[in-house]
Every structure is written in C-alpha cells, then in structure tokens.
Amino acid sequence: MDCPACGSPVTLEVGPDRPLSTSLSDAILAADEDEHIEVTRDCWNCGWHETRALRVASIDTTAGDETAVERAALIDEITDELASIESVGTLEETLAAIRRQRATDPARTDTDDAAE
C-alpha cells in the first residue's frame, strides 16, 4: 500500500504481542474467537500513521480432507527435523535414503512422478 498523504510505501505491523514479521493473514488464521488484532501502518517518509483494531467475532471452519491434513502435518514435522540438522553429510544421507525408499516403494505410481 502507498501512503495516502505522500504516496510513499508504508510499513504494516500486526500486534500486539506478535513478532514483527507476522503477516495479517497469519495473525487472523491463528486468532481465537473474541481476540483483538491491532494493525499499524506507518509512512517513514512523511510520518503518516494509522492504527486499526480488529476483533474476531466468530470462527467458522469446515473439515478438510483428513489425509491431506495428516500429510501436511507430517511434512511440517519432517521439515522442522531437517532444519535442525547441521551436518551436510547427514542431510545427504537422508536424501539418499528417501530416494532409495521411493524407488522401491510398490505403492508409488506414475502420477507421483507428475507431481514432482
């Protein structure tokens, strides 16, 4: 967004009690019912400032594909584990083991190749 006063870019911060890098969409999706979210926009060129307060009135969710949800959770867990490994050799060995497993997995179909 551009500053309505001078046209320069503005910064957007989501708070309170959230890291500076938190996006508005992440804050909304993580919010609980009746939670307040503050959004602050600032122009560092001319000093324009705006604060808005949002309140989550209700949350409606629909059930997703249980398999897709479980798969996404496992991928997140694997990614977190891999990110904590500092040894390049260990990462290379892990990748090689995964590739060996996938090559010998009888459940793997040609459609798996198309998704890569």
Side-chain angles (χ1 to χ4, degrees):
M1 174 190 166
D2 292 332
C3 174
C6 72
S8 295
V10 298
T11 59
L12 183 129
E13 293 179 12
V14 179
D17 305 323
R18 288 185 173 77
L20 291 175
S21 61
T22 303
S23 71
L24 180 56
S25 60
D26 287 345
I28 291 170
L29 291 173
D32 294 323
E33 193 167 326
D34 212 32
E35 184 173 345
H36 287 82
I37 300 170
E38 255 182 37
V39 180
T40 305
R41 298 187 299 176
D42 291 290
C43 176
W44 298 102
N45 187 45
C46 73
W48 176 84
H49 171 83
E50 177 184 64
T51 299
R52 291 185 179 207
L54 308 169
R55 184 179 62 83
V56 179
S58 68
I59 299 173
D60 295 325
T61 59
T62 58
D65 179 357
E66 193 172 312
T67 303
V69 171
E70 182 179 345
R71 183 177 189 277
L74 287 170
I75 289 172
D76 283 345
E77 187 175 346
I78 290 167
T79 302
D80 291 344
E81 288 292 326
L82 290 174
S84 68
I85 298 172
E86 294 187 18
S87 167
V88 173
T90 301
L91 290 171
E92 289 172 341
E93 291 171 17
T94 303
L95 180 59
I98 291 168
R99 287 180 174 158
R100 280 192 302 276
Q101 174 65 34
R102 289 181 70 214
T104 60
D105 186 357
R108 186 181 158 123
T109 63
D110 290 338
T111 58
D112 290 340
D113 291 332
E116 291 178 21

